[in-house]
């Protein structure tokens, strides 16, 4: 699905030098590379504070901890997302309330969000799924009316930009109270191990997050709150500094591949290509199609025999998962997610796709679909 080796080859000399530099410096934890990366990412995102941490799941957990929510408080998120989003809500003994998604963008259905709000609702976690921003204009409006915190899960959409009706453009992850992301190797800004970060424009929330990632410490050896140990290591930060400089060109390469796919499938009635939201740019973390009139697992098998990776993101709705299901969540309330889990498939999407590869992939898909 990704070509991390091909991408590395192109920046190998820079990366190797940076990694060796950290090893020679012995500043393995919270070294200057981490500080510099933090500053550079703040500048890139146009956000006041970036708090690096160990991974994207921790970032979500720390963000929710920083908001001071209490057990039993309800947190609304999407039924169609990676499990981490709902997992951390449950781990903190908050109550996850899942809502269905929009059939075109796969992002949270704002009408369903509105209906799910109760007096116990304290936060909403919109997920910018597959690389495109959720309907933030509406989500922020509804959240403000009901005094609900907005925590954006930006693990799949770092670098996407959202333009509000008043013309203001903001980076994904910087619109709500807190944003979080992941630097998992296959993410759009991926390191060579695990990593994550929290973004906020709020000085107070930033200070609380910085304390939580470091065992809840305030003044040295004075623990003000319960925290965790969650750090981005210096080697990963050094790698991320280099890759951040390429992030926009990486997004452009992904968009070019996406356009090739779009054109190749444009006249195929059995395949629905990704819908582009007017207000958001798309950074194509995944290129996800909706199939109709064929079994997506059969297509996946066909592609595997041709040496083409194909993934089903996601095959099982979260509301049906043993870990998360509750009697309150009714299967019929998740019509769109249920249908998507039976019809979506994602094709290889990365920065190194060649026209030849794209041609072979699209021809192989059409060969199966049209047979
Ligand atoms: C990858 C991902 C995460 C978790 O990130 P990790 O770094 O793997 O912990 C959270 N949410 C979404 C939507 C993701 O895609």
């Amino acid at each position: 699905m990704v070509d991390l080796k091909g991408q590395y080859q192109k920046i190998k000399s820079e990366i190797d030098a940076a990694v060796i530099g950290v090893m020679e410096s012995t500043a393995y934890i919270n070294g200057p590379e981490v500080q510099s990366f933090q500053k550079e990412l703040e500048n890139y995102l146009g956000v006041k504070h970036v708090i690096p941490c160990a991974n994207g799941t921790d970032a979500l957990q720390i963000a929710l901890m920083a908001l001071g929510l209490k057990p039993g408080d309800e947190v609304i998120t999407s039924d169609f997302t990676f499990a981490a989003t709902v997992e951390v809500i449950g781990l903190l003994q908050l109550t996850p309330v899942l809502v269905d998604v929009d059939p075109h963008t796969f992002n949270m259905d704002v009408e369903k969000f509105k209906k799910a709000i109760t007096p116990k609702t304290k936060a909403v976690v919109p997920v910018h799924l597959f690389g495109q921003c959720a309907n933030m204009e509406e989500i922020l409006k509804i959240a403000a009316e009901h005094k609900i915190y907005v925590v954006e899960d930006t693990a799949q959409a770092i670098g996407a930009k959202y333009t509000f009706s008043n013309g203001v453009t903001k980076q994904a992850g910087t619109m709500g109270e807190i944003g979080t992301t992941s630097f998992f190797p296959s993410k759009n800004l991926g390191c060579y191990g695990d990593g994550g970060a929290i973004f906020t424009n709020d000085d107070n929330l930033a200070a609380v997050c910085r304390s939580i990632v470091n065992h809840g410490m305030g003044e040295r050896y004075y623990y003000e709150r319960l925290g965790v140990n969650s750090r981005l290591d210096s080697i990963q930060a050094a790698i991320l500094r280099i890759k951040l400089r390429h992030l926009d060109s990486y997004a452009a390469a992904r968009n070019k591949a996406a356009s090739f796919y779009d054109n190749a499938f444009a006249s195929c009635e059995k395949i629905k290509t990704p819908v582009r939201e007017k207000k958001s740019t798309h950074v194509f973390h995944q290129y996800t199609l909706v199939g109709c009139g064929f079994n997506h697992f059969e297509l996946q098998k066909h592609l595997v025999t041709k040496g083409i990776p194909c993934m089903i993101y996601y095959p099982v709705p979260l509301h049906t998962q043993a870990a998360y299901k509750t009697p309150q969540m009714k299967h019929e309330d998740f019509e769109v997610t249920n249908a998507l889990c039976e019809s979506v498939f994602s094709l290889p999407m990365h920065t190194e796709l060649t026209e030849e590869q794209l041609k072979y992939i699209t021809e192989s898909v059409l060969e199966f679909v049209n047979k």
Side-chain angles (χ1 to χ4, degrees):
M1 295 297 284
V2 291
D3 180 4
L4 297 178
K5 185 133 189 205
Q7 195 188 57
Y8 166 58
Q9 290 302 336
K10 288 191 183 156
I11 50 174
K12 182 175 170 8
S13 56
E14 261 183 295
I15 296 272
D16 291 2
V19 169
I20 288 168
V22 174
M23 292 199 281
E24 282 174 348
S25 78
T26 72
Y28 304 134
I29 299 286
N30 281 335
E33 294 288 344
V34 180
Q35 315 294 325
S36 301
F37 172 62
Q38 180 191 313
K39 291 263 144 39
E40 287 159 12
L41 188 57
E42 284 165 357
N43 284 340
Y44 176 86
L45 294 172
V47 74
K48 226 164 148 193
H49 305 281
V50 165
I51 300 99
C53 65
N55 58 67
T57 309
D58 273 10
L60 280 165
Q61 181 180 327
I62 293 156
L64 292 174
M65 287 170 77
L67 294 173
L69 308 187
K70 306 215 171 34
D73 286 349
E74 293 176 1
V75 179
I76 297 174
T77 192
S78 165
D79 190 35
F80 192 60
T81 171
F82 180 59
T85 323
V86 55
E87 173 185 57
V88 296
I89 300 171
L91 273 176
L92 296 172
Q93 296 187 357
L94 307 168
T95 305
V97 176
L98 300 175
V99 296
D100 208 359
V101 295
D102 176 88
H104 307 294
T105 62
F106 316 132
N107 280 323
M108 179 179 285
D109 179 325
V110 291
E111 290 306 316
K112 299 274 166 66
F113 161 44
K114 213 193 266 178
K115 283 207 193 101
I117 295 171
T118 75
K120 285 188 178 168
T121 308
K122 292 287 147 53
V124 59
V125 185
V127 183
H128 304 309
L129 204 70
F130 301 148
Q132 183 167 237
C133 293
N135 185 346
M136 289 308 289
E137 181 126 24
E138 288 304 313
I139 290 171
L140 289 169
K141 212 182 284 168
I142 298 164
E145 276 165 24
H146 295 266
K147 300 202 165 31
I148 295 169
Y149 295 117
V150 178
V151 178
E152 300 170 66
D153 183 346
T154 318
Q156 301 190 2
I158 192 158
K161 291 179 207 61
Y162 188 88
T163 304
F164 291 84
S165 335
N166 64 4
V168 172
T169 297
K170 289 189 183 181
Q171 285 274 350
T174 70
M175 296 177 264
E177 272 73 28
I178 308 193
T180 65
T181 203
S182 162
F183 304 125
F184 186 79
S186 63
K187 299 283 155 93
N188 289 37
L189 180 58
C191 58
Y192 293 179
D194 272 308
I198 303 152
F199 323 134
T200 184
N201 283 308
D202 183 312
D203 297 342
N204 186 41
L205 279 176
V208 175
C209 288
R210 280 191 210 292
S211 160
I212 293 173
V213 298
N214 189 23
H215 302 289
M217 199 157 83
E219 212 180 306
R220 201 169 177 87
Y221 298 120
Y222 287 83
Y223 301 95
E224 297 177 339
R225 55 178 62 78
L226 285 179
V228 295
N229 169 26
S230 189
R231 297 186 280 243
L232 178 72
D233 72 69
S234 302
I235 290 181
Q236 301 307 338
I239 292 165
L240 286 165
R241 288 185 69 197
I242 294 163
K243 291 191 67 179
L244 178 60
R245 293 173 209 145
H246 295 278
L247 185 59
D248 288 339
S249 67
Y250 286 164
R254 287 170 179 272
N255 269 278
K256 199 168 161 218
S259 301
F260 187 101
Y261 281 140
D262 284 350
N263 289 333
F265 300 130
S267 56
C268 177
E269 282 176 5
K270 291 184 179 170
I271 294 178
K272 198 179 128 202
T273 55
V275 173
R276 313 287 213 281
E277 264 279 11
K278 268 199 224 78
K279 286 180 180 159
S280 177
T281 62
H282 205 318
V283 293
F284 285 101
H285 174 59
Q286 298 296 343
Y287 185 85
T288 302
L289 298 151
V290 182
C292 133
F294 60 90
N295 182 312
H296 60 172
F297 290 113
E298 294 297 324
L299 168 68
Q300 185 183 35
K301 271 192 224 149
H302 169 80
L303 293 178
V304 167
T305 66
K306 308 212 93 189
I308 300 168
C310 169
M311 295 293 285
I312 311 296
Y313 297 125
Y314 296 93
V316 186
L318 293 178
H319 76 271
T320 68
Q321 301 277 359
Y324 316 123
K325 68 177 175 202
T326 65
Q328 288 77 37
M329 294 191 255
K330 305 252 182 310
H331 196 56
E332 60 270 23
D333 289 341
F334 300 93
E335 222 178 321
V336 177
T337 302
N338 296 337
L340 290 175
C341 289
E342 290 183 358
S343 57
V344 287
F345 60 100
S346 300
L347 295 177
M349 174 47 75
H350 53 83
T351 55
E352 311 303 314
L353 281 164
T354 63
E355 200 140 314
E356 195 186 348
Q357 289 171 322
L358 289 164
K359 211 159 160 262
Y360 178 65
I361 296 166
T362 51
E363 281 169 7
S364 303
V365 170
L366 289 169
E367 174 188 279
F368 174 87
V369 171
N370 293 328
K371 81 164 184 266

